[in-house]
Amino acid sequence: MHNADFMALLPLMVLSAACAAVMLLIAARRHHGLTLVLTLAGLAATLAVMPEAGRWMPIRITALLTLDTFALFFIALIVLATMATALLGYAYFDAWGGHREEFYLLLLIAALGACVLSMSRHFAAFFIGLEILSIALYALIAYPRRRAASVEAGIKYLVLAAGSAGFLLFGMALLYADRGTLDFSALAAGLSTPGQDRPLLLLAGLALLMVGVGFKLALVPFHMWTADVYQGAPAPVTAFVATASKSAMVALLVRLLAPLDFNTAPELFDILAALAAASMVGGNLLALRQQSVKRILAYSSIAHLGYVLVAILAAGPAFVPAVMFYMAAYTLAQLGSFGVIAMHSTAETEADSLERFRGLFHQRPWMAAVLTAMLLSLAGIPLTAGFIGKFYVILAGTQGRLWWLIITLVLTSGIGLFYYLRIIVTLFSPAQAPRTTPTAAGPAAFSGAAVLTVTTILLVWLGALPESLVRLLQHVTP
Amino acid sequence: MNALFYIAAAVAVLATLMVVTRAHAVHALLYLIVSLLAVALIFYLLGAPFAAALEVIVYAGAIMVLFVFVVMMLNLGAHSVQAQRQWLRPAMWIGPSILAAVLLAELIYVLAGSPAPAAVPVTVGPRAVGLALFGPYVLAVELASIMLLAGLVGAYHLARPETCGPTEGAA
């Protein structure tokens, strides 16, 4: 490794150093606020060294990782989402009796795993990054370990993620057996020859690989875990699973598929198109009758990943910026929605059912307004980031001439509008009885409110004036 | 050569099936050890003697001993001697023993100077493994340490006994 390699690795190194620092702080002195401050400082330092690392890109760091604008964008997105999660976690765990400090340590480790995923261009790095992320998430999901629902969600995630990792490993082994290398470029090279003489090992490996990726992205039919895990996990962790973990996996999928020409790999196109259509239809239909806000958002996230897959399949000139913009808009909206849920929950009682939010507007108008904005963005209403994101995805889809997928996207978005509006109607309908809301006080309330304010401002800003981000993303290639 | 591989693979699959279907933890563990030994033999046949040795030392040796210890400690009590006598009835150990004997016979056959494995182009020794691990894959080694940290912290948090009551952790 050379000097440039170390400079390009700075974000990962600072993040690892932050993990070590937080661990040592916990060993020396347990203090909730101090741990949060150190965690945020570590994440801010990671953001601060990114321009310095950016001066060396594009660069390939050993055989495993790569740093380019694409990776840098997703690292920034993941680090910002982690910051928001940490702040939401502070309010959420403030009054909790157990050890609260390890939450931040696990969160930092999970963020590191997600960053490795978005930088990896080798199956070994892919698997290790994924395992770092998953192992940290098992513990984070079951973090309030006296609450049965969380432990159940943690065990479900553990069993299913371990199973999907098995599929992934087997797929990688088959690809390696066929191509003789674990580099991502081997996949494109193997699929670039048109014709029927496609080696069976390669196709079988690819299919198994897509099972593993589909599980992580919660695409139908690998979505079984999503609703239960989203519902059982503590609300800040749900926000992290829905945003940072998904963003990292999308980044990886784009890097894996971008060098491919789908014209010479119709099998892969068919698999992914089927997954995208099933996710859009399945996710939106399953969300319709749910009574829990977290479950609705879980199913909606399945549908959103289906939309992203449409952009990935389009593979036209606008596809990379479309995916990046969509993930940014999606991350903001999910962070905000789960942020509002987290602000109404504590580690003991999760605010989850739709009834719990009835008449929120009359008690806490700002909260209701924020949640409304987030849901409108998820639904893709103009003046929110979600609208521009969806517009961009449809643009990419038309460039790729994916008419059937676009029609599915538009129709299922219409279905989606129903359940988003259903939550909004509940927010504004009269409250049946006054209830006590567990409101955090002092710095805890401030930390949550700060997250919600920033995400709302960004959401509207990106929706009203998307040029700044669009111009930034226009020339990015993975 | 291929026959040796298929026998070892069959033993591994059979033993693993038994691990999953046994109702008793100790019996499952016996089969798991056999399964790991079979995988080690497969590594050896594929030309990776160092990986085979690691598989035996680390998995079949260290990790399995830990498993067995934990299972034994969970079963402490007045009935434990009686229970252990029951676990060790011939019906229980005969299965793993037969499978292990198959592996042993294979190992002796290979070591007794049978023709060198033809399917293996190169033998990967410890030196090559070390050079790969700390050359092109050095970042993977570093990241694996972070992965272990995640497991350690998670296990510590989830398995910590609740002796301190609800006031624990108040700083």
Side-chain angles (χ1 to χ4, degrees):
Chain A
M1 290 183 51
H2 306 290
N3 197 16
D5 292 350
F6 283 108
M7 295 308 283
L9 269 181
L10 266 178
L12 287 193
M13 295 202 300
V14 171
L15 206 48
S16 317
C19 293
V22 168
M23 184 172 62
L24 291 176
L25 175 72
I26 295 173
R29 176 150 184 254
R30 272 192 186 280
H31 189 287
H32 193 200
L34 214 55
T35 318
L36 173 78
V37 169
L38 191 63
T39 306
L40 291 179
L43 291 166
T46 310
L47 283 180
V49 297
M50 278 173 48
E52 183 56 34
R55 283 175 41 205
W56 302 87
M57 59 185 197
I59 184 174
R60 194 154 180 192
I61 309 155
T62 72
L64 299 178
L65 300 179
T66 190
L67 187 78
D68 48 20
T69 325
F70 182 74
L72 220 49
F73 172 81
F74 275 98
I75 291 176
L77 195 63
I78 290 162
V79 168
L80 289 172
T82 311
M83 273 180 160
T85 311
L87 282 167
L88 291 173
Y90 184 72
Y92 186 88
F93 286 112
D94 190 43
W96 191 52
H99 282 179
R100 296 164 294 190
E101 290 77 11
E102 281 88 349
F103 175 77
Y104 303 98
L105 179 52
L106 289 166
L107 201 60
L108 281 175
I109 296 176
L112 182 71
C115 290
V116 169
L117 268 184
S118 61
M119 285 175 77
S120 66
R121 51 164 306 138
H122 190 280
F123 283 112
F126 172 14
F127 188 70
I128 290 182
L130 187 69
E131 282 302 294
I132 294 176
L133 178 60
S134 302
I135 291 177
L137 280 180
Y138 304 150
L140 280 173
I141 289 170
Y143 200 83
R145 63 206 181 101
R146 268 170 271 175
R147 205 174 68 213
S150 291
V151 175
E152 183 195 325
I155 289 178
K156 267 181 190 154
Y157 193 71
L158 169 71
V159 172
L160 290 173
S164 84
F167 277 96
L168 211 56
L169 271 184
F170 198 26
M172 289 178 192
L174 292 182
L175 284 178
Y176 182 71
D178 184 63
R179 308 304 311 171
T181 166
L182 283 171
D183 198 89
F184 283 176
S185 60
L187 187 64
L191 285 172
S192 62
T193 47
Q196 296 302 313
D197 53 345
R198 195 88 77 217
L200 199 61
L201 276 182
L202 185 69
L203 287 184
L206 207 57
L208 290 171
L209 207 61
M210 286 307 138
V211 173
V213 172
F215 171 83
K216 253 315 193 241
L217 291 179
L219 298 170
V220 176
F222 312 111
H223 65 287
M224 304 300 179
W225 59 278
T226 320
D228 289 349
V229 169
Y230 274 44
Q231 191 178 22
V237 177
T238 314
F240 188 85
V241 175
T243 58
S245 158
K246 293 254 167 92
S247 298
M249 206 59 198
V250 166
L252 184 111
L253 191 64
V254 169
R255 205 181 282 288
L256 194 63
L257 298 180
L260 280 180
D261 181 7
F262 283 116
N263 289 323
T264 61
E267 308 92 337
L268 188 60
F269 182 87
D270 292 344
I271 297 178
L272 289 173
L275 286 181
S279 302
M280 289 189 285
V281 174
N284 279 317
L285 287 182
L286 285 168
L288 286 179
R289 306 276 303 154
Q290 300 299 327
Q291 291 306 318
S292 144
V293 180
K294 280 169 115 184
R295 287 184 89 89
I296 294 178
L297 288 173
Y299 286 117
S300 107
S301 85
I302 295 174
H304 280 282
L305 266 299
Y307 304 153
V308 172
L309 211 51
V310 172
I312 293 179
L313 281 169
F319 117 80
V320 176
V323 171
M324 289 162 83
F325 196 99
Y326 200 92
M327 285 319 289
Y330 164 84
T331 298
L332 278 176
Q334 289 276 4
L335 276 178
S337 323
F338 284 113
V340 172
I341 296 176
M343 292 285 282
H344 288 84
S345 314
T346 62
E348 261 82 37
T349 54
E350 192 84 12
D352 183 24
S353 77
L354 205 50
E355 283 309 303
R356 177 72 187 65
F357 289 92
R358 182 174 291 280
L360 183 70
F361 177 72
H362 307 292
Q363 292 177 343
R364 305 174 84 180
W366 282 109
M367 266 322 171
V370 168
L371 187 55
T372 306
M374 298 300 159
L375 293 170
L376 289 179
S377 175
L378 285 173
I381 303 295
L383 275 185
T384 59
F387 169 72
I388 309 288
K390 205 164 270 177
F391 177 79
Y392 224 148
V393 164
I394 293 178
L395 175 74
T398 46
Q399 283 175 349
R401 298 173 189 286
L402 307 174
W403 305 119
W404 281 113
L405 284 173
I406 292 175
I407 291 170
T408 317
L409 195 161
V410 172
L411 289 181
T412 52
S413 295
I415 302 174
L417 203 55
F418 171 78
Y419 56 81
Y420 294 123
L421 288 180
R422 188 166 150 238
I423 303 181
I424 294 173
V425 167
T426 313
L427 288 180
F428 287 87
S429 48
Q432 255 132 24
R435 67 178 71 78
T436 52
T437 314
T439 40
F446 175 74
S447 70
V451 171
L452 294 184
T453 313
V454 171
T455 45
T456 312
I457 291 172
L458 281 176
L459 189 88
V460 176
W461 180 57
L462 279 185
L465 302 162
E467 294 89 357
S468 45
L469 185 59
V470 167
R471 201 170 302 130
L472 195 71
L473 299 181
Q474 219 150 32
H475 302 293
V476 176
T477 48
Chain B
M1 185 56 216
N2 271 344
L4 287 176
F5 169 79
Y6 283 118
I7 295 171
V11 170
V13 171
L14 210 64
T16 312
L17 270 181
M18 298 302 273
V19 175
V20 186
T21 51
R22 291 310 89 185
H24 202 290
V26 173
H27 302 150
L29 284 177
L30 283 180
Y31 278 109
L32 188 51
I33 294 175
V34 175
S35 163
L36 293 169
L37 290 176
V39 173
L41 190 62
I42 291 175
F43 275 142
Y44 183 79
L45 291 174
L46 289 174
F50 184 59
L54 283 185
E55 179 85 14
V56 174
I57 295 170
V58 176
Y59 283 89
I63 293 178
M64 278 299 115
V65 168
L66 263 175
F67 270 36
V68 173
F69 265 133
V70 169
V71 170
M72 282 163 71
M73 282 199 283
L74 289 178
N75 283 298
L76 284 182
H79 301 296
S80 62
V81 175
Q82 184 64 33
Q84 282 182 15
R85 197 162 290 140
Q86 270 196 338
W87 298 346
L88 291 177
R89 276 176 307 165
M92 295 306 170
W93 54 257
I94 202 90
S97 305
I98 292 174
L99 291 179
V102 172
L103 291 179
L104 182 66
E106 248 189 83
L107 190 64
I108 290 172
Y109 175 74
V110 174
L111 290 181
S114 61
V120 180
V122 280
T123 304
V124 183
R127 190 184 157 81
V129 173
L131 281 176
L133 270 187
F134 291 94
Y137 291 99
V138 63
L139 286 177
V141 176
E142 303 291 340
L143 287 171
S145 66
I146 298 275
M147 184 164 85
L148 291 179
L149 178 66
L152 208 63
V153 174
Y156 163 73
H157 174 75
L158 295 178
R160 201 166 37 84
E162 307 226 16
T163 48
C164 315
T167 55
E168 65 185 351

